[in-house]
Amino acid sequence: MSAGLTVRGLNLARSGKAVLHGIDLALAPGRITALLGANGAGKSSLVLAIAGVLPATSGAIDLDGRSIAGLRPEAIRASGLAAVPEGHQVLNELSVEDNLKVAGSHLSRSALRSAVDVALGTFPELRERLQARSGNLSGGQQQMVALAQAIIVKPRYLLADELSFGLAPVVVARLVPVLQDLAAQGVGVLLIEQFTHIALKIAHAVYVMERGRICFSGEPLELIENPAILHSAYLA
Ligand SMILES: Nc1ncnc2c1ncn2[C@@H]1O[C@H](COP(=O)(O)OP(=O)(O)OP(=O)(O)O)[C@@H](O)[C@H]1O
Ligand SMILES: [Mg+2]
């Protein structure tokens, strides 16, 4: 069995328009892989295709050696892949506590309690808001709930789409180490990040997308040393 999340030759259309063209991408366990690219390049579409939310036109998606292409989102989640989609996607009507419990609904009562404790240890500010309706939280607190859910679910792979969007730098600085901790525990993380300098600083590998295609894959250092690669992708 080959460990890793592997995407090969993935094509996707949205509303009849081809938006992903022959995407090849690999995530390794315990590593942060950054995915960069301009608005509309196809980053979120790729996340949604991997998570099974948008059905790919063709291509292979393997999770630790097992095909997940064509599976329903719940089945993909159950096989160890969690996606935090773009926008603050916690269940707004639920309290913070219930959002955390929903994430751990597969756990025994005692395992759930200790998982929630670990998550609240990471985000003590959520402990004070446990009974608050999630929709009433700040954007940063909602992202903390989303990451707390990931800590509780303990996925093998986590796709994080623009966690920092609209957040103050101090809040972003709180979230980044949590992703690094998850990776240190063996989670393979895909990080889509508007602040490219943050992504390049913490990622072990990086892909750049341009108009639905991967136009660069390699080490962050290569992009830091050749900023022209990123500039042309963001201007395309
Ligand atoms: N709901 C939708 N229905 C149809 N087409 C869409 C939809 N959302 C996005 N697209 C199209 O898919 C392509 C890729 O968009 P996508 O949102 O995946 O890019 P992105 O890289 O995530 O951009 P951003 O940085 O703005 O989040 C674009 O051409 C976009 O117009
Ligand atoms: Mg997006």
Side-chain angles (χ1 to χ4, degrees), residues 38-45 86 161-162 192:
N39 292 344
K43 305 174 301 289
S44 297
S45 300
E86 202 172 25
D161 192 354
E162 308 234 14
I192 296 175

Side-chain angles (χ1 to χ4, degrees), residues 1-167:
M1 186 179 94
S2 50
L5 173 74
T6 321
V7 174
R8 279 187 316 276
L10 189 81
N11 295 300
L12 175 79
R14 296 184 82 165
S15 309
K17 179 181 139 210
V19 294
L20 297 180
H21 309 272
I23 300 292
D24 292 329
L25 177 132
L27 295 192
R31 307 239 131 197
I32 296 179
T33 302
L35 178 61
L36 305 177
N39 292 344
K43 305 174 301 289
S44 297
S45 300
L46 178 56
V47 165
L48 295 173
I50 295 171
V53 177
L54 295 176
T57 319
S58 58
I61 310 173
D62 291 347
L63 192 68
D64 292 339
R66 198 178 134 241
S67 173
I68 57 165
L71 296 185
R72 299 175 54 79
E74 309 82 67
I76 292 174
R77 207 175 309 125
S79 55
L81 185 139
V84 180
E86 202 172 25
H88 308 136
Q89 293 272 352
V90 290
L91 296 169
N92 283 335
E93 298 307 321
L94 295 187
S95 68
V96 169
E97 183 167 31
D98 287 345
N99 259 298
L100 299 183
K101 285 183 174 165
V102 166
S105 56
H106 58 299
L107 300 172
S108 71
R109 192 181 284 236
S110 65
L112 174 61
R113 196 170 310 125
S114 66
V116 168
D117 262 356
V118 171
L120 293 176
T122 304
F123 296 117
E125 44 273 83
L126 293 183
R127 203 182 281 282
E128 295 147 28
R129 308 293 316 265
L130 277 177
Q131 303 314 321
R133 187 178 160 274
S134 299
N136 292 341
L137 300 179
S138 68
Q141 289 170 335
Q142 292 190 9
Q143 295 300 55
M144 288 177 192
V145 173
L147 276 187
Q149 288 179 316
I151 291 169
I152 291 167
V153 173
K154 285 201 196 122
R156 280 176 293 140
Y157 298 93
L158 176 68
L159 314 180
D161 192 354
E162 308 234 14
L163 278 180
S164 68
F165 187 78
L167 302 184

